[in-house]
Amino acid sequence: SRRCGLAAGRSYSGGGAYPSVSLTCPLPGVPKAVFAAAESRERFETRVTVLENGLRVASQNKFGQFCTVGVLVNSGSRHEAKYLSGISHFLEKLAFSSTAQFGSKDEILLTLEKHGGICDCQASRDTIMYAVSADARGLDTVVNLLADVTLQPRLSDEEIEMTRMAIRFELEDLNMRPDPEPLLTEMIHAAAFRDNTVGLNRFCPVENTDKIDRAVLHSYLSSYYTPDRMVLAGVGIEHEHLVECARKYLLGVEPVWGSGQGRAVDRSVAQYTGGIIKVEKDMSDVSLGPTPIPELTHIMIGLESCSFLEDDFIPFAVLNMMMGGGGSFSAGGPGKGMFTRLYLNVLNRHHWMYNATSYHHSYEDTGLLCIHASADPKQVREMVEIITREFILMAGAVGEVELERAKTQLKSMLMMNLESRPVIFEDVGRQVLATNTRKLPHELCDLISQVKPSDIKRVVTKMLHKKPAVAALGDLTDLPTYEHIQAALSSKDGRLPRLYRLFR
């Protein structure tokens, strides 16, 4: 009150009706302000409803006029052991083509255009996603369309033939592409899980393109496209409205392939084998521009990690972030991973290395942590030595500063990605498909914060007991033998002289 009294003698510019009242005092005669408060977390929890036929409906509230809605199916290349390899690749390309209600892809796109919508389908090793982003007021139309696309596709001979041509072109492009990362990812999975589950090829082999027809596709769809293997997920819509639409369009619908009782669902658990896959390839002509890309040899070394359902998944995610890495031509700078181990210990010390990047692939029953490195063919032996040393040093001391930096970077990346509605949709759908529930971002951040150096050391020690998986692409004249790589990774002391003798 004394302060308000002192303020009485002052003059304020633009004071209006209250020229002598301090800004720290409430204005006389004005009602007390009510400030907006953050919404309770409960309002943003993911809601899940299971329909009578086993279909799960999951939704996440989010402010905005647009929504992302889609159907996720527990189906992918890992389930093709009893079928021709490449069916999931075909289904991805055939998605959003003609259906029982819509005569062509153009008709589907025009229908979505009325609601400002776009559509996409992505097939991975364990999931196929059909997704639409559109105005939330068109939810009824969107769910009707999704139901028709997943359960009533026509799969005409003309569409299948066009898909064959598109796949052949994509396979040809895959082998000519300057960036070998997609090819190496296929190779490392095939080496790590030879001839089983996630080791099966995600792309359709050339020899199978002419063998896959409507009968083959219907046989596969009748086994895997069943309500109990599906989730209808939505972000930015009311849960009750989504459930209502699901009941209207996805309950009691007879699929175009029929609803036979005989189902041959592959429930195999991934079997990690380890091993090596080598592809000798002339990389000198990958770039046809005036400044050609240097001829490089690419190596990817991986070890089995864990499933995303296990508690160790979070320490492995932190470890992957701690290793980090990237290309030697990255602009870099604070916040771009320049303090990760693969930058500090590899790219900054060995100028001849073009790339060193860590990747973590995780599935329902297994996982794979790997490092991709690139260098001139003459430096392959030394490059493999350096990468194996980094694997061994993972089991050593973990600094508090680098661990905190990795955890902060992981939480930051998680939160930034979950600002995007399609990313939230995929996160909701995948988690509910695998566990019938969803861990919210703040729960994941709490788990990340709890990771200690001892957790990192524990998961690495467990990982180093496995045989390595190796993928090699390019000029492999100087590549060490698989036995040498395996022996180097089994030397737990990580001393360079021992590694040097092994590789020389």
Side-chain angles (χ1 to χ4, degrees):
S1 58
R2 185 180 174 188
R3 189 171 175 185
C4 292
L6 288 172
R10 299 178 188 169
S11 60
Y12 296 89
S13 59
Y18 306 100
S20 60
V21 179
S22 166
L23 294 177
T24 59
C25 297
L27 297 176
V30 176
K32 186 178 178 181
V34 179
F35 296 101
E39 295 276 7
S40 65
R41 278 178 176 166
E42 286 72 26
R43 178 169 165 75
F44 293 97
E45 283 183 0
T46 303
R47 296 179 62 186
V48 181
T49 299
V50 183
L51 301 188
E52 291 82 350
N53 61 356
L55 177 81
R56 284 156 287 181
V57 181
S59 73
Q60 177 73 50
N61 219 333
K62 185 173 174 64
F63 176 79
Q65 184 181 347
F66 276 75
C67 66
T68 298
V69 183
V71 174
L72 291 90
V73 189
N74 186 5
S75 159
S77 59
R78 69 169 296 162
H79 300 105
E80 293 172 2
K82 298 177 183 177
Y83 296 87
L84 286 170
S85 178
I87 291 176
S88 299
H89 196 183
F90 260 78
L91 291 173
E92 179 186 63
K93 298 293 178 195
L94 285 163
F96 295 99
S97 297
S98 63
T99 68
Q101 289 184 48
F102 301 93
S104 66
K105 180 172 282 191
D106 289 341
E107 196 174 322
I108 287 175
L109 296 177
L110 283 170
T111 303
L112 287 175
E113 196 176 296
K114 294 173 184 175
H115 301 283
I118 55 172
C119 61
D120 187 29
C121 177
Q122 291 183 7
S124 62
R125 287 185 158 75
D126 53 359
T127 312
I128 294 181
M129 291 187 300
Y130 300 82
V132 172
S133 287
D135 192 303
R137 290 172 293 186
L139 181 64
D140 193 272
T141 303
V142 166
V143 176
N144 179 25
L145 172 64
L146 285 166
D148 220 39
V149 164
T150 52
L151 299 176
Q152 304 285 334
R154 284 186 183 169
L155 305 178
S156 68
D157 293 338
E158 184 184 354
E159 288 168 345
I160 291 173
E161 188 55 43
M162 290 291 289
T163 299
R164 289 191 183 113
M165 292 172 60
I167 286 175
R168 289 191 194 108
F169 176 81
E170 188 175 341
L171 294 174
E172 192 176 332
D173 176 65
L174 194 67
N175 288 307
M176 295 173 61
R177 192 180 297 183
D179 175 23
E181 200 267 324
L183 203 57
L184 280 165
T185 300
E186 290 304 305
M187 291 167 64
I188 196 74
H189 278 83
F193 307 93
R194 194 173 289 273
D195 298 326
N196 76 91
T197 57
V198 293
L200 299 176
N201 201 334
R202 193 168 65 86
F203 298 105
C204 180
V206 178
E207 62 271 17
N208 285 357
T209 51
D210 289 325
K211 298 176 185 175
I212 295 176
D213 55 18
R214 190 192 296 113
V216 172
L217 294 170
H218 277 186
S219 172
Y220 180 87
L221 289 166
S222 65
S223 294
Y224 290 97
Y225 276 47
T226 55
D228 58 304
R229 299 179 66 85
M230 291 182 178
V231 168
L232 174 67
V235 177
I237 35 81
E238 290 295 330
H239 184 72
E240 288 75 14
H241 191 186
L242 186 62
V243 172
E244 181 188 331
C245 292
R247 289 186 182 280
K248 186 176 178 182
Y249 297 111
L250 286 161
L251 194 62
V253 177
E254 178 78 12
V256 72
W257 49 83
S259 55
Q261 297 300 313
R263 287 170 44 188
V265 174
D266 183 8
R267 303 190 187 278
S268 304
V269 176
Q271 302 296 317
Y272 181 82
T273 60
I276 185 168
I277 289 185
K278 298 187 287 186
V279 176
E280 289 270 1
K281 188 177 179 185
D282 180 9
M283 307 287 283
S284 58
D285 59 348
V286 291
S287 175
L288 304 176
T291 310
I293 296 172
E295 180 185 354
L296 301 175
T297 295
H298 302 271
I299 305 293
M300 197 176 270
I301 300 176
L303 290 165
E304 188 181 21
S305 58
C306 74
S307 154
F308 57 71
L309 299 176
E310 296 178 44
D311 292 338
D312 284 343
F313 171 68
I314 299 294
F316 268 116
V318 174
L319 172 64
N320 180 55
M321 193 60 67
M322 194 169 74
M323 297 306 294
S328 59
F329 296 110
S330 170
K336 291 195 176 179
M338 295 299 278
F339 288 98
T340 60
R341 285 193 180 185
L342 291 179
Y343 264 119
L344 292 174
N345 302 343
V346 179
L347 292 169
N348 285 355
R349 294 184 182 181
H350 307 283
H351 66 89
W352 44 269
M353 285 192 70
Y354 284 79
N355 172 61
T357 312
S358 175
Y359 297 95
H360 187 219
H361 307 278
S362 195
Y363 305 98
E364 195 171 348
D365 50 2
T366 188
L368 191 65
L369 182 80
C370 44
I371 295 176
H372 170 205
S374 309
D376 186 272
K378 294 176 184 176
Q379 307 277 23
V380 168
R381 190 170 291 272
E382 195 174 351
M383 173 172 68
V384 173
E385 174 189 321
I386 289 163
I387 296 306
T388 51
R389 182 180 61 194
E390 286 306 311
F391 268 110
I392 294 165
L393 291 176
M394 287 181 193
V398 178
E400 282 290 343
V401 173
E402 72 168 340
L403 181 61
E404 285 304 316
R405 183 183 285 121
K407 292 196 290 188
T408 302
Q409 197 172 348
L410 181 60
K411 286 187 279 189
S412 172
M413 188 181 75
L414 173 72
M415 299 308 289
M416 281 195 296
N417 286 337
L418 289 173
E419 286 292 309
S420 165
R421 198 186 309 104
V423 175
I424 301 172
F425 155 76
E426 185 173 348
D427 183 49
V428 169
R430 283 184 178 276
Q431 287 201 52
V432 172
L433 195 62
T435 66
N436 296 322
T437 184
R438 181 190 179 220
K439 278 191 172 72
L440 294 175
H442 70 269
E443 296 177 83
L444 293 172
C445 287
D446 290 343
L447 291 172
I448 292 168
S449 298
Q450 292 167 21
V451 175
K452 300 185 288 292
S454 58
D455 296 323
I456 301 293
K457 189 164 185 175
R458 185 188 74 254
V459 298
V460 172
T461 304
K462 178 181 169 185
M463 182 175 68
L464 286 173
H465 284 302
K466 304 288 179 71
K467 288 171 61 179
V470 182
L473 178 69
D475 181 350
L476 308 178
T477 309
D478 293 332
L479 179 70
T481 64
Y482 178 75
E483 290 71 23
H484 281 164
I485 297 172
Q486 187 177 1
L489 282 169
S490 65
S491 61
K492 303 296 189 294
D493 53 10
R495 289 180 296 178
L496 186 58
R498 173 175 167 78
L499 290 172
Y500 186 86
R501 287 197 300 274
L502 278 169
F503 286 109
R504 294 302 185 273

